[in-house]
Amino acid sequence: MTTVLLVDDEPAIHRFLRPALMAEGYAVVPAMDGREALSLAAGQAPDVVILDLGLPDIDGKIVLQRLRAWSDVPVVILSARDREAEKIEALDLGADDFVNKPFGVGELLARLRAALRKHRPGRVAPATIRTGCCEIDLAAHRVTRNGEEIRLTRREFDLLALLARNAGTVLTHRQLLTAVWGPSHGGDTQYLRVYVGQIRQKLGATEQDPVILTEPGVGYRFADAG
Amino acid sequence: MASPTPPRASPDALLALAEREGRGKLRVFLGAAPGVGKTFAMLQAARAATEGGEEVVVGIVETHGRRETEALVRRLEVLPRAQIPYRGRLVPEFDVDAALARRPRLLLVDEYAHSNVPSSRHPKRWQDVRELLDAGIDVWTTLNVQHLESLNDVVQKISGVRVRETVPDSALEEADDIVLVDLPPDELLKRLADGKIYVEDTAARAVQNFFKPSNLTALRELALRRVAARVDSDLVERMQGGAIEGPWAAGERILVCVGADAAAARLVRHAKRLADLMDASWFAVAVERPGSDLDPAARARRDAALRLAESLGAETRALVATDRVGEILRVARFENVTQIVVGRARPKLFARLFRPSLPEELVRSADGIAVHVVTSERGEDARRGWRDRLPDPGPLRGYLEATVGVALAVGVGHGLTQVVALPNISMLFLTAVLVPAVRSGVWPAIYASALSFLTYNFFFIDPLYTFTIARPHELLALAIFLLIAVVTSAVAGRAREQARAAIKRVRATRRLYEFTRKLSSLPAADAVAEAAAAEIQAIVGRSAVLLREQAGELGVAAAWPPEDRLDTASMMAARWAFEHKEAAGADTGTLPNVPWLFLPLVAGRGPIGVVGIEDAPDGVHLDAERRSLLDSLVEQTAVALDRATLAGEIEATRMAAETERIRNILLASISHDFRTPLASVLGAATSLTELGDRLAPAERADLLVSIREEAEHLDGMVRNLLAMTRLEAGALEIRMDWTDLGEILERVAAAARRRGATQAITVTTTPDLPLAFADPILLDQALGNIVGNAVRYAGPSARIALSASADDRNLSLAVDDDGPGIDPALLPHVFEKFIRASAERGDGGEGSGLGLAIAKGIAEAHGGSVHVESPVTNGRGTRFTLVLPRRRIAP
């Protein structure tokens, strides 16, 4: 059984999330503040953590930082939409994804699944990833659409592959830029806008099937097929 | 070609060109004498311009009834003249304001040198023209060469006629074009004989003298030379502006020492001609000995000479120094002066023996500076009679003291001769001469020496008790007494003078310092303005007024003695001073008939106001010393006022930032407060829709309940926000009704429990509690907010007690808890908006910080109040009391 550590200081959140998570088959370990969360994370070894950033005792980002010192358990952040900077900071600190408050339960469950999938122990990265009508062959560096090969530049392919490997979870601008362009380009978000645009165009992305989803102000997310 | 450095455009030349851009262009039709046809030439040129499509308007043209001229004027638009009241009749004058309002491309203004009727804006027409040029209007005007200021005395010498209407040379130098209107003297004389030249009847005889062939030729030469010089300087300017290599200005700088004598004006003109010849910049300096009490006429002469210099383009300075030569040379060195012009009165034998004259001293000490000595003309010295040169006879007290001193000397001498045989008793009298010499000046000292000689002779020299002088050498005593009296009193006088000057200087410095200190200690601009007006009045001794610009209008900000407004003419002058950043009003070239002198307050970012000093009723202007002190005061006022204004602006900005901060806190707290219940509602609802079947029935029921509760919570918050908005807008609707307070307490307690309060909440009421006349819904809200506050902060296991009680006047509702109490620092602010405990928790804290503010507002809307007490007992606990006024039920 998958154990979820649910960290939030609002009893009202626990009140509806607890039954929802249990109905999905998770075991729920509740924590009301940061200290409790850290001790439970150590003691109960949860498989995934849902972490509210606004905690009464320790800031959620600091909880995350301390947690990441010894654990790479997947973490999904709960945050307000107007606290973009905080959210990005948390993602750069190693959070796997975020959900804006208020949120639908379905959205949170999907993020949890994606985060868990990424961290599944002993997981072998698939050689090919399918999205819509496109197939990305990571080993052969080939992308095909309806069997027809699409020519991508090296950078375009690297970017697409990075997003595809983390399908379903968000990657911040900084994470993408640092991985593809190098640490000195961490702030050049205009590269991403151009490259993502080109990739979408080459892959024949549409509004219904955008291939790469934009998380405004935060980063990009590869559309999750499953 | 050996030209290592490329020619550089002279900055001065470029600046002069740049200044002209945006400004109107001035063309002067210059003639040698009246009647050469300047006005006619101007009008003809204007007609040509009109035919070329130019917009030409006649500001003022005197046709003097000449038909050809009138015909030319008739073709052009003519501005109506202003009617200026003067001595009981209306005098038509050129209307500057009409011209400024009409704003033609090109305006014709005849007779550049014309003097306006007093009470016009400017005393001279050329000043009107300058204002038009500043406004960007092109102007054509006419001028005769004899009206030029620097040629004034030359013209007088040539023609024997003193020209009163003059134009400063700078006003001609400003001209972009000079058109020479030339007519040979013979033809001019013929025109005169034909009666074609207008002359005023009164001047008929002067005209006879003036229109002589020799005069006209000389004047013609002057005009021609003037224009030729102008052409030359234009050429040089263009060459410099275009960086064409050629002759550069020699860099000569001339300083002229202006005195208070009649030759001062002539000296200034001489310096101006010299400056023109050398193409040099020049300064006029008046150095006064401290404490020298010039008589008003001399002072006026000196000030007039300085003003003349200024109008001729000099920089002027009035200095006070004991060492005149040293001070002149100090200024000269500082300003890199190469030539000094100094006047020299006809040498007096006596003066020459004792003291070298100013020019002589200058020549001796001015190393490397050329000194021009301009000798005086016959008649100029005579004006200063011998009486003027005599020192002040001094006070009567001095003579009394001298008499007593001599009497003492006689007494003591007499006593001494009884005891010892003194070889020379005259020593005693020496003392009697020295004392008044040191104390009272030269006249009492001379009196004392004469008296001493007489008494000495009378009492101590044989034959005793007669004035007879037996031996001639006894007269030597008198000579010695006199010499000592004169020398000592001169030395002592100089020392006294220096001491007085030093004291005066110290006093002025201290006054300035105290003024500055006083102003800088004031925080608000209004206070600075008021203090400045009062202080300036006290220091200068004239009524002072300070005007500031507020909302684009110049208005009286402070005055001493208090004054609310100025008359229209004064306001006009004040505005002019403000807009042009120049002095205006009395004692200036702009609106000099106004009884105030206005000085602009100029700060770094432009003019910020005007200081006005009332002219003395007898029209005596401020002397140079007080004027320079006033300048310093005004400068300091500007600095202080600017500082205070800036400080005020910073404060306003800070306030705005604070308001912004509070707004942000409100937004953050409201968005958080709304988000949490919304998240619950949305989360519970989506759980039900998406996981419905997989949830246990009890869980489903709980989710539904939570949705209802959170929605109620949201409703409560919306009600609070609305109430706050209404309270602030004064639009809270109160529906008064007879209300049972016990019922309200129970309802509030139940609501709190329902909202998940874990604390033990008790309700106590007295059995005979009267009904309150209040709005039950609002009271619910007020009390609910107070209880909500207790639930939030008292701790999960606290006890909360609600109680109601009554006395003769009031009904009180109390909410007690035994929680940790309120932070003493926060206690005075609990009823303010957006104040809540643990504010550093930007996200976690519940509550918008509005609840208690609303409770207070509701209580006050009922004519009641709220109070808080914390801690209550043993350093713990908080008690909120809501007090309502009691109303008897009408029988």
Side-chain angles (χ1 to χ4, degrees):
Chain A
M1 203 184 204
T2 314
T3 311
V4 181
L5 175 60
L6 173 56
V7 190
D8 200 305
D9 64 324
E10 300 287 347
I13 304 286
H14 285 272
R15 194 171 169 185
F16 76 85
L17 263 187
R18 194 186 162 95
L21 288 169
M22 278 158 67
E24 270 291 281
Y26 295 104
V28 179
V29 177
M32 298 299 286
D33 58 40
R35 251 176 269 282
E36 197 183 357
L38 283 171
S39 79
L40 286 173
Q44 305 275 326
D47 298 297
V48 62
V49 178
I50 298 174
L51 177 65
D52 183 25
L53 285 182
L55 293 175
D57 57 342
I58 321 172
D59 189 275
K61 293 192 293 290
I62 295 176
V63 173
L64 178 65
Q65 210 169 10
R66 297 203 188 145
L67 188 66
R68 276 284 172 262
W70 49 268
S71 162
D72 56 356
V73 59
V75 175
V76 174
I77 298 293
L78 294 184
S79 164
R81 202 177 290 279
D82 56 341
R83 289 167 174 260
E84 222 79 296
E86 226 177 50
K87 207 151 56 193
I88 295 166
E89 226 177 300
L91 288 168
D92 284 339
L93 280 170
D96 293 86
D97 216 331
F98 70 92
V99 175
N100 282 324
K101 272 184 181 180
F103 53 86
V105 166
E107 189 190 354
L108 177 70
L109 294 176
R111 296 272 173 277
L112 273 186
R113 278 196 300 276
L116 279 166
R117 199 167 48 239
K118 196 164 82 175
H119 284 261
R120 198 164 296 146
R123 177 180 73 131
V124 183
T128 56
I129 295 168
R130 284 199 62 87
T131 169
C133 48
C134 297
E135 207 174 81
I136 302 159
D137 187 338
L138 293 174
H141 280 224
R142 264 164 51 100
V143 181
T144 52
R145 184 178 169 216
N146 297 333
E148 206 175 308
E149 185 170 350
I150 296 167
R151 301 189 62 85
L152 291 180
T153 67
R154 222 198 74 210
R155 280 258 156 77
E156 284 168 356
F157 184 83
D158 288 351
L159 183 60
L160 181 64
L162 180 62
L163 283 162
R165 269 192 222 105
N166 294 286
T169 62
V170 73
L171 292 172
T172 64
H173 295 136
R174 179 171 292 279
Q175 287 168 340
L176 291 169
L177 285 163
T178 314
V180 179
W181 276 272
S184 58
H185 290 282
D188 301 333
T189 49
Q190 71 277 14
Y191 290 8
L192 287 176
R193 302 209 195 300
V194 173
Y195 275 82
V196 169
Q198 280 172 356
I199 295 170
R200 279 181 181 151
Q201 202 187 348
K202 288 185 178 177
L203 265 59
T206 60
E207 239 171 87
Q208 287 74 40
D209 177 23
V211 184
I212 300 168
L213 300 165
T214 305
E215 290 290 348
V218 179
Y220 294 95
R221 181 197 302 282
F222 193 79
D224 192 2
Chain B
M1 289 289 282
S3 176
T5 47
R8 218 157 30 90
S10 149
D12 281 348
L14 288 175
L15 204 63
L17 283 176
E19 259 178 17
R20 281 189 197 162
E21 283 174 20
R23 203 164 179 262
K25 296 223 182 314
L26 175 67
R27 176 177 290 184
V28 177
F29 290 81
L30 184 69
V36 293
K38 300 177 302 294
T39 307
F40 193 74
M42 176 171 80
L43 287 168
Q44 272 185 324
R47 195 182 65 182
T50 333
E51 280 161 6
E54 188 105 37
E55 179 193 26
V56 184
V57 171
V58 175
I60 190 159
V61 164
E62 299 293 349
T63 58
H64 301 305
R66 267 168 272 169
R67 220 168 297 140
E68 307 99 304
T69 319
E70 272 172 1
L72 278 173
V73 170
R74 227 171 286 135
R75 296 168 175 228
L76 296 164
E77 178 186 339
V78 182
L79 285 182
R81 297 186 188 188
Q83 299 293 330
I84 311 265
Y86 178 63
R87 293 197 178 153
R89 61 199 180 94
L90 291 177
V91 182
E93 273 290 1
F94 169 55
D95 194 340
V96 192
D97 289 314
L100 286 171
R102 172 69 182 77
R103 279 197 87 81
R105 276 291 303 272
L106 174 60
L107 192 74
L108 307 186
V109 181
D110 206 5
E111 292 181 15
Y112 201 31
H114 175 78
S115 294
N116 289 330
V117 172
S119 83
S120 304
R121 177 176 329 181
H122 299 294
K124 298 284 189 179
R125 184 168 291 162
W126 62 265
Q127 291 167 316
D128 293 343
V129 168
R130 182 173 284 176
E131 195 165 341
L132 295 169
L133 294 171
D134 284 340
I137 300 172
D138 290 352
V139 177
W140 288 0
T141 187
T142 62
L143 178 71
N144 284 326
V145 75
Q146 83 248 30
H147 292 298
L148 263 185
E149 183 64 65
S150 69
L151 298 178
N152 191 279
D153 48 353
V154 179
V155 170
Q156 187 187 11
K157 226 177 266 172
I158 294 170
S159 64
V161 177
R162 181 118 199 138
V163 181
R164 298 255 169 249
E165 300 197 323
T166 56
V167 170
D169 295 46
S170 59
L172 181 66
E173 280 154 21
E174 267 174 18
D176 300 85
D177 290 309
I178 296 179
V179 177
L180 181 70
V181 183
D182 191 34
L183 196 69
D186 290 347
E187 267 179 61
L188 186 60
L189 286 172
K190 191 165 164 289
R191 287 188 59 174
L192 182 72
D194 294 348
K196 282 185 180 167
I197 297 174
Y198 168 82
V199 284
E200 285 179 53
D201 304 339
T202 45
R205 197 127 43 89
V207 167
Q208 291 302 315
N209 282 331
F210 191 82
F211 285 93
K212 280 194 291 202
S214 58
N215 281 355
L216 293 175
T217 309
L219 286 170
R220 190 178 179 211
E221 189 190 334
L222 273 180
L224 286 168
R225 265 170 49 182
R226 198 68 203 192
V227 175
R230 171 54 195 246
V231 169
D232 187 47
S233 74
D234 268 3
L235 187 66
V236 171
E237 213 167 284
R238 291 234 170 96
M239 284 166 88
Q240 288 179 1
I244 301 161
E245 273 190 285
W248 285 71
E252 295 281 348
R253 289 161 88 80
I254 296 169
L255 182 145
V256 54
C257 308
V258 178
D261 50 317
R266 204 169 49 80
L267 205 59
V268 166
R269 291 200 185 90
H270 182 92
K272 162 66 180 166
R273 282 197 296 276
L274 197 64
D276 282 353
L277 278 176
M278 295 185 174
D279 195 13
S281 57
W282 61 298
F283 306 83
V285 174
V287 185
E288 195 180 318
R289 280 229 176 75
S292 67
D293 291 318
L294 281 179
D295 61 283
R299 187 177 294 280
R301 270 203 300 277
R302 189 203 57 189
D303 289 350
L306 282 182
R307 266 199 293 274
L308 171 68
E310 208 166 296
S311 75
L312 289 174
E315 264 181 57
T316 62
R317 243 161 263 186
L319 304 165
V320 179
T322 320
D323 176 13
R324 286 210 295 172
V325 176
E327 185 67 13
I328 289 169
L329 288 174
R330 196 187 58 73
V331 174
R333 299 244 151 75
F334 185 75
E335 297 287 358
N336 291 323
V337 161
T338 55
Q339 317 260 344
I340 294 178
V341 177
V342 63
R344 184 196 194 185
R346 268 160 202 284
K348 297 282 173 301
L349 186 71
F350 184 75
R352 202 157 53 171
L353 280 177
F354 284 94
R355 201 193 292 170
S357 68
L358 179 62
E360 276 162 355
E361 277 190 80
L362 276 174
V363 167
R364 196 180 308 146
S365 334
D367 298 324
I369 301 177
V371 178
H372 298 247
V373 182
V374 180
T375 52
S376 60
E377 285 186 345
R378 207 170 292 281
E380 280 177 346
D381 293 324
R383 296 195 192 169
R384 206 174 164 196
W386 62 272
R387 272 175 197 286
D388 293 343
R389 257 176 276 120
L390 288 183
D392 183 17
L396 194 62
R397 198 173 49 87
Y399 297 93
L400 277 176
E401 280 176 6
T403 313
V404 171
V406 173
L408 267 175
V410 171
V412 172
H414 204 72
L416 278 177
T417 43
Q418 305 297 315
V419 187
V420 286
L422 228 61
N424 202 341
I425 207 85
S426 64
M427 289 298 183
L428 275 172
F429 289 91
L430 214 55
T431 323
V433 172
L434 271 174
V435 171
V438 170
R439 283 175 55 88
S440 314
V442 67
W443 289 110
I446 288 172
Y447 164 77
S449 41
L451 196 64
S452 291
F453 172 72
L454 289 176
T455 48
Y456 174 54
N457 187 353
F458 190 79
F459 288 106
F460 298 103
I461 292 179
D462 294 325
L464 288 179
Y465 311 118
T466 63
F467 289 114
T468 322
I469 297 165
R471 287 158 293 183
H473 72 255
E474 279 163 9
L475 277 172
L476 191 65
L478 176 63
I480 289 171
F481 284 160
L482 281 174
L483 188 71
I484 285 171
V486 171
V487 171
T488 313
S489 63
V491 171
R494 183 77 59 88
R496 255 201 317 277
E497 196 176 87
Q498 281 173 352
R500 223 181 7 236
I503 288 169
K504 220 171 175 178
R505 218 167 23 235
V506 166
R507 210 173 285 155
T509 312
R510 183 178 303 151
R511 269 184 163 170
L512 199 59
Y513 167 71
E514 275 171 8
F515 180 78
T516 313
R517 208 192 44 182
K518 197 171 275 182
L519 292 197
S520 63
S521 67
L522 295 169
D526 287 346
V528 170
E530 238 152 69
E535 288 294 309
I536 290 175
Q537 192 274 339
I539 294 172
V540 184
R542 304 268 176 93
S543 297
V545 58
L546 196 148
L547 297 95
R548 285 175 67 206
E549 193 189 33
Q550 271 150 347
E553 264 302 304
L554 201 62
V556 176
W560 198 263
E563 182 103 43
D564 278 345
R565 44 186 301 116
L566 295 170
D567 60 86
T568 321
S570 302
M571 275 311 289
M572 204 190 288
R575 211 166 292 131
W576 197 92
F578 180 78
E579 281 163 8
H580 292 72
K581 291 193 262 181
E582 269 175 48
D587 198 21
T588 69
T590 306
L591 295 164
N593 286 80
V594 164
W596 293 84
L597 164 65
F598 291 103
L599 300 171
L601 292 165
V602 183
R605 42 191 184 147
I608 53 173
V610 177
V611 167
I613 299 295
E614 193 167 32
D615 223 22
D618 51 4
V620 175
H621 304 315
L622 288 177
D623 57 57
E625 214 169 309
R626 276 197 293 173
R627 178 65 196 267
S628 88
L629 181 61
L630 178 63
D631 285 341
S632 306
L633 292 174
V634 166
E635 222 165 89
Q636 291 303 322
T637 307
V639 170
L641 208 54
D642 195 36
R643 175 195 55 72
T645 315
L646 283 175
E649 278 168 19
I650 288 168
E651 179 61 19
T653 314
R654 208 186 58 74
M655 288 290 286
E658 180 64 18
T659 315
E660 183 63 26
R661 195 184 69 83
I662 288 177
R663 206 203 309 275
N664 286 338
I665 290 174
L666 167 72
L667 272 174
S669 76
I670 287 180
S671 62
H672 173 266
D673 292 352
F674 277 85
R675 193 176 294 119
T676 305
L678 271 174
S680 303
V681 171
L682 189 64
T686 50
S687 297
L688 284 168
T689 53
E690 287 170 34
L691 311 167
D693 321 337
R694 284 182 269 166
L695 292 167
E699 283 169 345
R700 267 191 298 198
D702 185 57
L703 285 179
L704 286 169
V705 171
S706 86
I707 289 175
R708 200 198 69 209
E709 284 176 7
E710 292 302 326
E712 277 171 4
H713 184 186
L714 275 174
D715 177 53
M717 287 199 313
V718 171
R719 275 204 303 152
N720 266 351
L721 263 182
L722 270 177
M724 196 69 234
T725 319
R726 292 211 178 112
L727 272 171
E728 293 208 321
L732 190 70
E733 233 180 275
I734 306 180
R735 295 214 181 85
M736 298 292 235
D737 199 357
W738 293 106
T739 309
D740 183 350
L741 293 180
E743 208 174 277
I744 286 186
L745 291 183
E746 291 291 357
R747 206 157 55 216
V748 167
R753 285 190 207 105
R754 205 174 54 237
R755 294 259 311 108
T758 52
Q759 295 91 341
I761 304 178
T762 56
V763 175
T764 325
T765 54
T766 45
D768 53 347
L769 190 71
L771 291 178
F773 191 65
D775 184 325
I777 296 172
L778 289 180
L779 220 49
D780 249 18
Q781 195 175 354
L783 217 56
N785 286 343
I786 296 175
V787 171
N789 189 67
V791 169
R792 203 168 297 135
Y793 295 112
S797 54
R799 275 172 304 192
I800 298 174
L802 311 185
S803 59
S805 60
D807 60 25
D808 287 350
R809 293 164 138 198
N810 296 319
L811 294 164
S812 305
L813 297 163
V815 178
D816 275 85
D817 70 61
D818 58 355
I822 298 174
D823 180 357
L826 201 64
L827 196 63
H829 304 292
V830 288
F831 293 115
E832 289 170 21
K833 275 192 295 180
F834 312 127
I835 294 292
R836 53 183 186 190
S838 61
E840 74 277 5
R841 269 181 56 192
D843 193 85
E846 209 187 293
S848 54
L850 286 175
L852 294 178
I854 289 166
K856 177 168 182 263
I858 289 175
E860 282 167 1
H862 280 85
S865 55
V866 276
H867 310 281
V868 63
E869 210 183 313
S870 179
V872 183
T873 45
N874 301 330
R876 290 181 68 80
T878 308
R879 173 183 294 152
F880 280 95
T881 319
L882 197 160
V883 181
L884 296 173
R886 185 170 172 178
R887 260 213 232 165
R888 308 265 171 216
I889 301 172

